[in-house]
Amino acid sequence: MSAQPEGALLRSFERALECGELHMVYQPKVRMDTGELTRLEALVRWDEPDFGPVEPSRFVPLAEKHGLIGPLTDWGLRTTLSQYRKWSKQGLDTHVAFNISAISLQSLDFPDLVERVCNELDVPTDRLVLELTEGATQPLIKLMDTLTRFRIKGIGLAIDDFGTGYSSLMQLRQLPFTEVKIDRLFVKDLPAAHDSCVIVKAIIDLAHGLGLVATAEGVETPEQLRFLRSLRCDVAQGYIVARPLEPDSLGAWIEEFAGRWPELIGEA
Ligand code: C2E
Ligand code: MG
Ligand code: MG
Ligand code: MG
């Protein structure tokens, strides 16, 4: 895929946005104490007709660079909230998480826009959590006003990939986050690597000290899951729990996972 020239990919992406070639998948996050589904994170997918699947880490930055992040975000949020609305009508009682590009946050109107979409699609704002990644050039602290507006509306804010950005501790203290997502980088060598253990424990304690939910990303093994539980990490997400799911696979996963949980945590 990386051989694909940017110009061709960009033209194709513009078409994809218009023609409905994109779709969303949803990755479950579960409570570490009970194994219950607590959140679904929406992740965008693009199957390019000629090149095959293109990774979001490739086309999201492309959209950012060429002024297409607005339409992408608008489409993604509407799709996600419509899907979530269907699930809640069927009795699902969780939060829904949506990834936001730092570029969208530069607009002070953005929180109003998100609230309007929630209202239109009949999803209470306090069910929505926005996940933000700290960009290399744009410290989140500059976005304080926008972030505060979200919180006033009841929308949750998660700092994504925590530990990989810079001056992260300062941002955690000053910005109105509700959740910290510990980057996969720190989770992947648990529990064997002493340094990862120390860092992850410190982030969880810090999150709790500040009243935030601690979520571990990229949990792939039962050993990682059990270790994170022993540290009182609140929420787990990763392939051991579930891969990102097509919407119609969620029901079957909920049943399957409930049966698998006791064994996973070593209490079968
Ligand atoms: P992220 O928000 O940190 O999402 C986590 C990524 O890790 C996802 O990759 C997910 O599929 C993957 N993942 C989840 N569990 C595991 C695991 O156990 N092991 C491994 N190896 N990987 C795991 P994906 O879907 O390729 O997304 C990559 C990034 O692209 C996301 O990182 C997010 O920053 C961005 N992104 C995805 N969808 C959207 C979107 O709709 N809008 C925006 N603005 N960004 C998006
Ligand atoms: Mg995320
Ligand atoms: Mg992440
Ligand atoms: Mg990540």
Side-chain angles (χ1 to χ4, degrees), residues 30-204:
V30 299
R31 290 175 58 139
M32 289 265 195
D33 53 354
T34 60
E36 263 177 302
L37 178 65
T38 170
R39 282 169 198 202
L40 287 156
E41 177 178 359
L43 296 159
V44 64
R45 291 291 177 265
W46 179 24
D47 250 327
E48 213 283 348
D50 299 324
F51 323 140
V54 186
E55 305 244 316
S57 55
R58 180 109 198 270
F59 66 84
V60 172
L62 193 74
E64 288 176 339
K65 189 170 155 194
H66 295 279
L68 293 170
I69 200 68
L72 175 63
T73 303
D74 191 63
W75 169 84
L77 188 63
R78 283 174 187 278
T79 304
T80 299
L81 294 183
S82 308
Q83 179 59 56
Y84 178 75
R85 174 76 189 134
K86 280 187 209 154
W87 279 326
S88 37
K89 275 193 179 152
Q90 295 163 11
L92 194 81
D93 180 28
T94 67
H95 284 86
V96 61
F98 185 75
N99 292 284
I100 289 288
S101 159
I103 298 203
S104 305
L105 297 171
Q106 289 168 4
S107 154
L108 269 181
D109 300 337
F110 187 56
D112 286 338
L113 190 143
V114 172
E115 184 181 42
R116 210 155 46 232
V117 177
C118 287
N119 291 343
E120 260 176 55
L121 297 172
D122 198 18
V123 172
T125 46
D126 65 1
R127 298 275 106 187
L128 176 64
V129 178
L130 301 178
E131 297 196 0
L132 320 171
T133 309
E134 190 175 11
T137 54
Q138 174 79 328
L140 288 170
I141 198 84
K142 289 199 180 155
L143 307 168
M144 175 73 107
D145 287 350
T146 314
L147 298 183
T148 305
R149 285 174 196 219
F150 279 119
R151 289 300 302 130
I152 289 168
K153 297 177 189 301
I155 295 168
L157 297 174
I159 185 161
D160 209 339
D161 305 334
F162 185 75
T164 55
Y166 67 102
S167 65
S168 301
L169 292 183
M170 196 67 167
Q171 316 245 19
L172 255 201
R173 185 170 68 93
Q174 294 181 334
L175 291 169
F177 287 109
T178 54
E179 175 179 350
V180 176
K181 295 189 74 179
I182 305 167
D183 195 78
R184 186 168 80 223
L185 190 75
F186 304 112
V187 172
K188 81 179 174 24
D189 300 321
L190 298 179
H194 176 71
D195 53 351
S196 292
C197 294
V198 171
I199 291 169
V200 167
K201 183 178 187 313
I203 299 176
I204 293 168

Side-chain angles (χ1 to χ4, degrees), residues 206-221:
L206 180 70
H208 289 166
L210 294 171
L212 311 180
V213 172
T215 297
E217 294 192 301
V219 185
E220 293 185 350
T221 70

